[in-house]
Amino acid sequence: MIRKKLKNATDYRESLKKYRLNLYAFGEKIEDVVEHRLFKPHVNAVAATYDLSNDLEFEDLANAKSHLTGESISRFNHIHQSREDLIKKVKMLRMLNQRTACCIQRCAGMDSANAAYSVTYEIDQKYGTEYHERFKKFLQEVQDENLVAIGAMTDPKGDRSRPPHQQADPDLYLHVVGERKDGIMVRGAKAHLTGVTSAHYVIVFPTSNMRAEDKEYAVCFAMPVDAPGMTYIFGRQTNDFRKMEEGDIDKGNAQYAMVGGECLAIFEDVFVPWNRVFMYKEYDFAGMFVERFAAAHRQNYGACKGGIADVLIGACACLAEYNGVATASHIRDKLVEMVHLTESLYSGSIACSQEGHCTSSGAWETDILLANCTKQNTTRMVYEIGRLAHDIAGGLLATLPSEKDYRHPQLGKYIDKYLKGVPHIPTEHRMRLFRLIEAITGGTAVVESMHGAGPPQTQRVFMLRQANLAHKIKLAKRIAGIKDE
Amino acid sequence: MIRKKLKNATDYRESLKKYRLNLYAFGEKIEDVVEHRLFKPHVNAVAATYDLSNDLEFEDLANAKSHLTGESISRFNHIHQSREDLIKKVKMLRMLNQRTACCIQRCAGMDSANAAYSVTYEIDQKYGTEYHERFKKFLQEVQDENLVAIGAMTDPKGDRSRPPHQQADPDLYLHVVGERKDGIMVRGAKAHLTGVTSAHYVIVFPTSNMRAEDKEYAVCFAMPVDAPGMTYIFGRQTNDFRKMEEGDIDKGNAQYAMVGGECLAIFEDVFVPWNRVFMYKEYDFAGMFVERFAAAHRQNYGACKGGIADVLIGACACLAEYNGVATASHIRDKLVEMVHLTESLYSGSIACSQEGHCTSSGAWETDILLANCTKQNTTRMVYEIGRLAHDIAGGLLATLPSEKDYRHPQLGKYIDKYLKGVPHIPTEHRMRLFRLIEAITGGTAVVESMHGAGPPQTQRVFMLRQANLAHKIKLAKRIAGIKDE
Amino acid sequence: MIRKKLKNATDYRESLKKYRLNLYAFGEKIEDVVEHRLFKPHVNAVAATYDLSNDLEFEDLANAKSHLTGESISRFNHIHQSREDLIKKVKMLRMLNQRTACCIQRCAGMDSANAAYSVTYEIDQKYGTEYHERFKKFLQEVQDENLVAIGAMTDPKGDRSRPPHQQADPDLYLHVVGERKDGIMVRGAKAHLTGVTSAHYVIVFPTSNMRAEDKEYAVCFAMPVDAPGMTYIFGRQTNDFRKMEEGDIDKGNAQYAMVGGECLAIFEDVFVPWNRVFMYKEYDFAGMFVERFAAAHRQNYGACKGGIADVLIGACACLAEYNGVATASHIRDKLVEMVHLTESLYSGSIACSQEGHCTSSGAWETDILLANCTKQNTTRMVYEIGRLAHDIAGGLLATLPSEKDYRHPQLGKYIDKYLKGVPHIPTEHRMRLFRLIEAITGGTAVVESMHGAGPPQTQRVFMLRQANLAHKIKLAKRIAGIKDE
Amino acid sequence: MIRKKLKNATDYRESLKKYRLNLYAFGEKIEDVVEHRLFKPHVNAVAATYDLSNDLEFEDLANAKSHLTGESISRFNHIHQSREDLIKKVKMLRMLNQRTACCIQRCAGMDSANAAYSVTYEIDQKYGTEYHERFKKFLQEVQDENLVAIGAMTDPKGDRSRPPHQQADPDLYLHVVGERKDGIMVRGAKAHLTGVTSAHYVIVFPTSNMRAEDKEYAVCFAMPVDAPGMTYIFGRQTNDFRKMEEGDIDKGNAQYAMVGGECLAIFEDVFVPWNRVFMYKEYDFAGMFVERFAAAHRQNYGACKGGIADVLIGACACLAEYNGVATASHIRDKLVEMVHLTESLYSGSIACSQEGHCTSSGAWETDILLANCTKQNTTRMVYEIGRLAHDIAGGLLATLPSEKDYRHPQLGKYIDKYLKGVPHIPTEHRMRLFRLIEAITGGTAVVESMHGAGPPQTQRVFMLRQANLAHKIKLAKRIAGIKDE
């Protein structure tokens, strides 16, 4: 299958049609993600990243110069070459989320690629393997073709109190079940695949530290999304059926979606050729993979969720105007608080980028402690921002009639008359804002801020590991005048 | 229309069928709330209150002795006669919510009746009117027939910066548009009518303080839900379409709903006979109505939301077991925090009840300061409890495939295999818990904790009014040794 | 030594002079706690409780009818006979703290006595001992003589990871070191003795659960504060030296103190006669002692800290007036928040009292879960209230010149001129408020809210134990439709 | 008076002796700040900044290349020439505070100088004045001589509801009271002068926006600390008298202080020659002065308070070890939380620096929105960090006997025996940590985090102004599909 370089959103949409995704939703096989109402908004969000590459205003953020070819490529397919690259990454994310109010699905792939780039380099250094070269070739193809590669990390995990090899069912972590001359066979599943229905490639890698007994589970590889043996089951989202309805008000964000369109991916003895295998049995590097990917991914959350929060703040400020309360001191104070929290989130993304460092492979990595701190704040502040939005919006947020009622010849007049705010603003404007606020703050959308890039406790484990308490104890003893003998 | 005393849930359901509700949802006329999938769960929740009256274990909470007739009546139709009644009220609410995890819809009616009882008494004292006797007759009918009367308070309000008489459209607050020999004609709308689709009667009263210019808006009355001229439009709820689907997993709480099934009610020149009019033009009592109703209603929130939180805590504790992490210290700590917040909420409801006082009418009223404080805590702690639930539950909360996928012959096997937790627990059990947690913590359900019984700022206004800062200043000056001349 | 019934604060002060306390502060022996500047404020706070018994307005709160003699006694020496007693207890505490803004030191004794009363009863029931009768005799003396008995619980604990019998030094938990015909000899220490320098008696009891190996440590007894072998070392408090200075401004609360005047008590082979021994070797009841005392003591914190918070709110509201900002919306909002938190604390104390129950001894006990929840809130909300006070007060809180500067002939004029707020209020008034706010919110005073009645983690342990997660899991399964086979 | 370039801490201390400061504390004239126990710790903290300049490890942070002379100068006297300078500034602050756990007093001067540098430039641009050249000459002297210049901003403000010219006493804001051929005479006062007792120069500037009527108040100038007419009154600090005591345990931080040693400064008709006047009557630039200084100063707080928090975390981690609880999960979790909050604070300082921009004068300025957000977080998180420290430390934090008791021949033995933690650690070590934690978390020290660089509400005003709500509204409308006509 030969693919030409995708120049824009149209090319991108066209390219997706060539894939034969074995995808299900609500028990039905999905044939065309580009047109199907459930999937189109997710595709649109990724398409927005293609548009951005051609937008003069933002092209410096959206594109980067490949260190492999010197060509201009999508920043989503770039290996960060400097501190400035790390900062541009998060600026791009905030800006894109301001424009879509939706997960744009490509960052996990970018972060997987950056992790794979540096980890394969270090595996090779230790074991004399050739993973890094393989990965560079794969990466160059993705860059040249301007493809979307996403990441797949989370194993189902079964009984969380047991490691992979002690699970009752050995497949509860993805593992190699057969080795052939030309490659390996893998089996298992990965959960929460963000963006797979809008993508061309998947980069698969381990979910946790591993020990020697788990070495069949220590595997990293890339594959096209429609590799034989793959099945994808689309996850339910809050209010997902609204996407199937007529009309665009009740969707809240009709053009885009809210989250990444996560799927459960089943790998039923999927074959991967050697040139796409980037780790196999080097279990002592599984932890490094997790740490590098997690840090890179956690770096993003203050920026992407910050971008969505910007839209939410705007919606609340606008609704307050429509309600006639924009100058009420308590409303202004709540808007300020939303701004404060949003910028606190964003400060984390900027700071961990600024404090980044270069790995031995030449790829730049964010500061691990600050990136984990950023994500941890997201698991709290996004909820508080949503709570404040609910406060400002008012009770209609929970009791607004449906768009169908509004379009109904008789009921529509009632709604128009009685749900009006200040006289000069159409009632429909108010309705649209309620639905947008509802979409951003309800259910799935906020859970994504909690568990995307790992649950809060994983960040705390990393923070403790990075905190250097021994150094802080030394500082304290010095000030307290404690002299150890 | 003659109605017999409703003895149990069956009688109750039967009774609803006699009403000809002019009700719409999704642009369609609803004919039978008892059987329609959207409305049945709401009816079930109210039905549970009828069952409770016959439950030996709880009959003391569920029933009370009418001070009008000496008969045993539903506590929901009772005028509180003592501090103990106030406490039993909140205990009944927590217990019912533990059993339904759902708004049981009858408390606003109970609180309206108690407010109307004492306010009509005081209007009569001042103006020599006869509202109190009228109200007592109405109340006795409701008690004797064992009916469900709900409350209707919130006007649409239009431009929130203007009082009723200054709105561009005079109907944006409900008002009297005509007076006849036998009664009055009212026009306008009321928003957020909790439980109206499960009710027999509506008690309508003002939404805010009023001045002389607003006196046409100062009106209180009762009417059957199917009074001519009424139109109800059902509000959208988070995931409402799941109620229309087959299966019971994805609903989360299949038997009951989550919120009160709020409607927008349109009053198009509705006639109310004089014997059902309980205030008319006494604008100086509008504020007292609001204060009394609000305090009574805010008293509840620590109990009813506490009851739902109990179910949520149980769901999280159970899911943690199924995930194999029940003994992890961070999980236990989060469960303790959920318990702590829940009991803090509940303490508010108990405390404001205990500190209640008797009004001049003989009806007991909760402590206003503490009741407002209780509701204020609900607008924060319920959100934090939900956040902790998301944390404990894990990312599948946002990516779980649908029940249809699970019932699919091929996909079902995958889901069964890969979404299993500890080996001895069926995967379906886990799925049910994810869906229950999703239902309790997403969207509409939590907004109800924010705006039910009034938005947070209204509680702060009441708290400031009740805080007696002057007394506190005196205490401080005494300690500080400040002597005013 | 014969003591007559103490009728008032004067009698009380007189009575203290008869004790020969072996007390040290700053390395010096203290001879007269009634007059010494460091101790007088603490004595004054206890004296206020004596005054209250004679205050017509509050006598119902301050006094109770002894169930032993039928006489009117101080409520601090009362065994709670009803739910109403529990509620009056916390109302008395809030009221006293509103008047002293200071720990009044007697509640730990009251709580110790109530715990001892019911636990001795249960020990006797199991072991046929006669502790309960002994304790009643002791209690009757305290009631009749109207004495102050305080509680002593916290052992020094040494290495917290080891139980008493495994400590390197066996004395790190107080224990019996000898048995005589007429009594026992005890050795060890107790930390944080609140109010011992204002008291007549000490009730000593264990600090934690114990096992058979620790049985020498399972001991409870009472003794006069000046028992031979006792040494008390006064703990440092924040700004303690200001009590030694001239003037009354910089003290903040010149008449009273802030905390309980805690001491470290050393028991060097102290003899206790059998009639004052209330537990000895019944290690299986040590845990019950802790639980009962802790619950009773934690019940108080929402009330006593609430009372102090009332003074603090008053100080802030007053200072805002003096600063000319009383009507600024953000100032009002912060005052409301302080009120909200204060009433939330207080609601806990009321609720756990209301939900109390009768023990087998006839003594009423607070609800354990809600009491622990109350104390837990204190460890957070008192800090937040203090933080808000700092916010409202302004930076002078940290940079105000000393009273000596203010009294200085030349500097005083500058201070008077330049630290004036609104024109008609004397500068000194402002200074007094800054110092009062400083005193209430700084250092020792807030630590008392954290660790008094046990550190936060102990409350969480109790909450988990009391939470009945199994019941909550049952509720959740029922709603979720999970049927266990 | 000629001063030579100060090369190190010794030179610096020597230089201070030449100043004749008219300084009072506790009503007494202070003659020698270098040796006086109250002031020495403050001088030591500044001296540490001199030492740092000669420390090979940190010289790149401590020093910068003057853009005026090309010479290596103290970074505290530097005008930021790049984004990197802004970042090095905050890194220097964190590092210094890790080493002193104390306000190092020089940042307000640095921030004043940077504000004056750019504002004088812009005044000159508009009005053709020559302030900028004057300021550069003054600055070069400070750089060459390596002096300490501090900032003086806060006027006493009297009635906060009135502008300067409407105060009852016109001196309540500092103003020009006379003009001479060679300069101006100023009168008034400035509050909260940080570091003036350790400094050579003061830069004075306005405290708020001004209007034409206030133009006599729109004045900026520099003067030596011992200018004739000046009086300084030292503010009381929490536990200030411990600095006067013997011993070094109870001080907590014996070598340094905690806060900046703030003074109230009285300007009694002080003469300022024209060459030191940098603004006079250009009232329309007063607001810019405030904004620039405030942003620059707020930039620091995540770094300097972060540095102190590092010491506090170390103290708590160390004390947990000494208590035998270092591995308890709740202790570790609280330490992680402290780290998380500290790094969140620091992220703010890094982010606002990274997002800085160049002013028209060539001086770089921090991002105003993010800097205000950083300071706002300090007003919350520093309190929460302190609260967690109290939690971890335990109750002895509030009841520990004094050092004098510990040094007492008999009492010392008791303390040594009974306050021991794990066996192999001297009791004194524990005591030192309790005192250090007490010093960092009590009273004045935390108030500094609240009000330093302006009270929280001022940051909210700036945040609202910088939030660009209009842009956010536009984003929201676009997503919601709202088309304005």
Side-chain angles (χ1 to χ4, degrees), chain C residues 296-341:
Chain C
H297 205 41
R298 289 168 192 170
Q299 172 195 14
N300 308 334
Y301 273 71
C304 65
K305 299 308 172 199
I308 297 180
D310 287 328
V311 177
L312 184 59
I313 293 165
C316 291
C318 189
L319 187 52
E321 285 181 9
Y322 292 177
N323 288 346
V325 295
T327 57
S329 64
H330 76 96
I331 295 290
R332 284 161 61 120
D333 198 61
K334 284 162 195 163
L335 288 169
V336 169
E337 185 63 21
M338 292 174 82
V339 168
H340 170 63
L341 293 170

Side-chain angles (χ1 to χ4, degrees), chain A residues 45-91:
Chain A
V46 173
T49 69
Y50 280 88
D51 282 338
L52 196 78
S53 292
N54 302 310
D55 185 328
L56 285 179
E57 192 183 349
F58 301 113
E59 62 180 351
D60 180 47
L61 289 183
N63 304 316
K65 186 173 149 185
S66 168
H67 74 295
L68 298 177
T69 63
E71 295 296 312
S72 173
I73 57 169
S74 165
R75 184 171 297 283
F76 284 108
N77 291 331
H78 184 52
I79 301 301
H80 315 303
Q81 298 297 306
S82 64
R83 171 173 290 130
E84 205 182 10
D85 270 348
L86 292 172
I87 288 171
K88 282 184 177 169
K89 175 195 180 194
V90 298
K91 293 198 170 187

Side-chain angles (χ1 to χ4, degrees), chain B residues 47-246:
Chain B
T49 70
Y50 280 88
D51 283 338
L52 196 78
S53 292
N54 302 310
D55 185 327
L56 286 179
E57 193 183 350
F58 301 113
E59 64 180 349
D60 180 48
L61 289 183
N63 304 317
K65 186 174 150 185
S66 169
H67 74 296
L68 298 177
T69 62
E71 295 297 310
S72 173
I73 57 168
S74 165
R75 184 171 298 283
F76 285 107
N77 291 332
H78 184 51
I79 301 301
H80 316 303
Q81 297 298 307
S82 65
R83 172 171 290 129
E84 204 182 10
D85 270 349
L86 293 171
I87 288 171
K88 282 184 177 169
K89 175 197 181 192
V90 298
K91 293 198 171 188
M92 170 181 69
L93 291 175
R94 182 166 185 178
M95 192 264 299
L96 272 166
N97 277 275
Q98 285 180 336
R99 273 148 193 82
T100 60
C102 171
C103 174
I104 42 75
Q105 305 158 59
R106 297 184 71 178
C107 58
M110 166 172 51
D111 300 330
S112 308
N114 274 273
Y117 189 88
S118 72
V119 175
T120 54
Y121 182 89
E122 298 192 33
I123 301 176
D124 289 0
Q125 292 295 104
K126 178 164 180 187
Y127 289 114
T129 42
E130 53 184 29
Y131 297 132
H132 192 60
E133 277 313 305
R134 285 182 193 167
F135 184 75
K136 282 190 354 193
K137 273 190 195 127
F138 164 69
L139 180 67
Q140 189 174 331
E141 182 193 322
V142 171
Q143 288 183 350
D144 289 350
E145 304 263 340
N146 198 15
L147 302 178
V148 175
I150 64 128
M153 182 201 209
T154 312
D155 291 283
K157 291 201 194 83
D159 182 343
R160 273 79 178 147
S161 66
R162 296 171 177 281
H165 72 280
Q166 287 183 358
Q167 295 290 330
D169 179 343
D171 301 342
L172 283 169
Y173 283 70
L174 185 138
H175 60 142
V176 178
V177 289
E179 207 173 304
R180 296 185 353 198
K181 209 170 192 178
D182 51 350
I184 55 177
M185 306 295 292
V186 299
R187 190 188 300 153
K190 290 281 181 180
H192 322 318
L193 259 72
T194 293
V196 72
T197 69
S198 321
H200 309 98
Y201 266 102
V202 185
I203 302 171
V204 179
F205 55 99
T207 202
S208 59
N209 282 347
M210 285 176 185
R211 285 170 296 174
E213 307 90 297
D214 300 320
K215 74 180 172 196
E216 304 295 335
Y217 296 87
V219 59
C220 169
F221 57 90
M223 60 169 204
V225 291
D226 56 0
M230 292 303 304
T231 305
Y232 302 97
I233 313 176
F234 198 55
R236 288 217 79 161
Q237 300 171 10
T238 301
N239 288 331
D240 43 17
F241 254 74
R242 294 196 194 173
K243 290 197 218 161
M244 307 297 287
E245 297 174 8
E246 297 296 323

Side-chain angles (χ1 to χ4, degrees), chain B residues 350-384:
Chain B
I350 291 290
C352 67
S353 304
Q354 156 61 29
E355 294 293 285
H357 57 273
C358 188
T359 64
S360 58
S361 70
W364 275 69
E365 190 190 13
T366 189
D367 183 82
I368 296 177
L369 176 56
L370 297 187
N372 277 283
C373 168
T374 299
K375 173 65 212 306
Q376 184 85 176
N377 275 328
T378 312
T379 68
R380 303 170 178 185
M381 292 180 182
V382 167
Y383 281 77
E384 179 63 6

Side-chain angles (χ1 to χ4, degrees), chain B residues 234-462:
Chain B
F234 198 55
R236 288 217 79 161
Q237 300 171 10
T238 301
N239 288 331
D240 43 17
F241 254 74
R242 294 196 194 173
K243 290 197 218 161
M244 307 297 287
E245 297 174 8
E246 297 296 323
D248 68 340
I249 297 178
D250 286 4
K251 295 175 171 63
N253 182 353
Q255 191 175 356
Y256 307 108
M258 286 312 308
V259 292
E262 278 71 19
C263 285
L264 176 66
I266 320 292
F267 297 71
E268 213 173 20
D269 298 352
V270 171
F271 172 71
V272 185
W274 286 120
N275 68 333
R276 291 288 154 84
V277 175
F278 310 132
M279 170 163 77
Y280 177 33
K281 296 192 179 168
E282 292 82 6
Y283 63 88
D284 48 333
F285 282 89
M288 185 189 283
F289 230 126
V290 173
E291 182 183 280
R292 298 243 167 124
F293 169 75
H297 205 39
R298 289 168 191 170
Q299 172 196 13
N300 307 335
Y301 274 72
C304 66
K305 299 309 172 199
I308 297 181
D310 286 329
V311 177
L312 184 58
I313 294 166
C316 291
C318 189
L319 187 51
E321 284 181 10
Y322 292 177
N323 288 347
V325 295
T327 57
S329 65
H330 77 97
I331 294 290
R332 285 161 60 120
D333 198 61
K334 284 162 194 164
L335 288 169
V336 169
E337 185 63 20
M338 293 174 81
V339 168
H340 169 64
L341 293 169
T342 301
E343 300 301 333
S344 294
L345 285 175
Y346 185 57
S347 292
S349 288
I350 291 290
C352 67
S353 304
Q354 156 61 29
E355 294 293 285
H357 57 273
C358 188
T359 64
S360 58
S361 70
W364 275 69
E365 190 190 13
T366 189
D367 183 82
I368 296 177
L369 176 56
L370 297 187
N372 277 283
C373 168
T374 299
K375 173 65 212 306
Q376 184 85 176
N377 275 328
T378 312
T379 68
R380 303 170 178 185
M381 292 180 182
V382 167
Y383 281 77
E384 179 63 6
I385 291 169
R387 197 186 71 82
L388 289 164
H390 287 189
D391 186 342
I392 294 173
L396 272 177
L397 188 61
T399 70
L400 191 71
S402 71
E403 184 169 1
K404 277 189 185 146
D405 295 314
Y406 186 58
R407 303 296 180 206
H408 185 279
Q410 183 189 353
L411 304 174
K413 275 179 266 166
Y414 287 140
I415 294 173
D416 219 37
K417 174 182 173 74
Y418 284 113
L419 298 190
K420 210 173 187 61
V422 290
H424 60 287
I425 296 291
T427 298
E428 188 180 317
H429 283 19
R430 278 186 91 211
M431 294 178 72
R432 289 184 176 277
L433 290 173
F434 281 119
R435 291 298 177 212
L436 175 57
I437 294 171
E438 183 188 13
I440 295 180
T441 60
T444 319
V446 290
V447 178
E448 220 278 324
S449 299
M450 177 64 78
H451 288 289
Q457 185 61 14
T458 60
Q459 290 121 49
R460 296 179 88 76
V461 170
F462 275 105

Side-chain angles (χ1 to χ4, degrees), chain A residues 153-160 162-178 185-191 207 210 214 216-217 219 264-270, chain B residues 413-421:
Chain A
M153 183 201 207
T154 312
D155 291 283
K157 292 202 194 81
D159 181 344
R160 272 80 177 148
R162 297 172 176 280
H165 72 279
Q166 287 183 358
Q167 295 289 331
D169 178 344
D171 302 343
L172 284 168
Y173 284 70
L174 184 141
H175 59 141
V176 179
V177 290
M185 305 296 293
V186 299
R187 190 188 301 154
K190 290 282 182 180
T207 203
M210 285 177 184
D214 300 319
E216 304 296 334
Y217 295 87
V219 60
L264 176 65
I266 320 292
F267 296 71
E268 214 172 20
D269 297 353
V270 171
Chain B
K413 275 179 266 166
Y414 287 140
I415 294 173
D416 219 37
K417 174 182 173 74
Y418 284 113
L419 298 190
K420 210 173 187 61

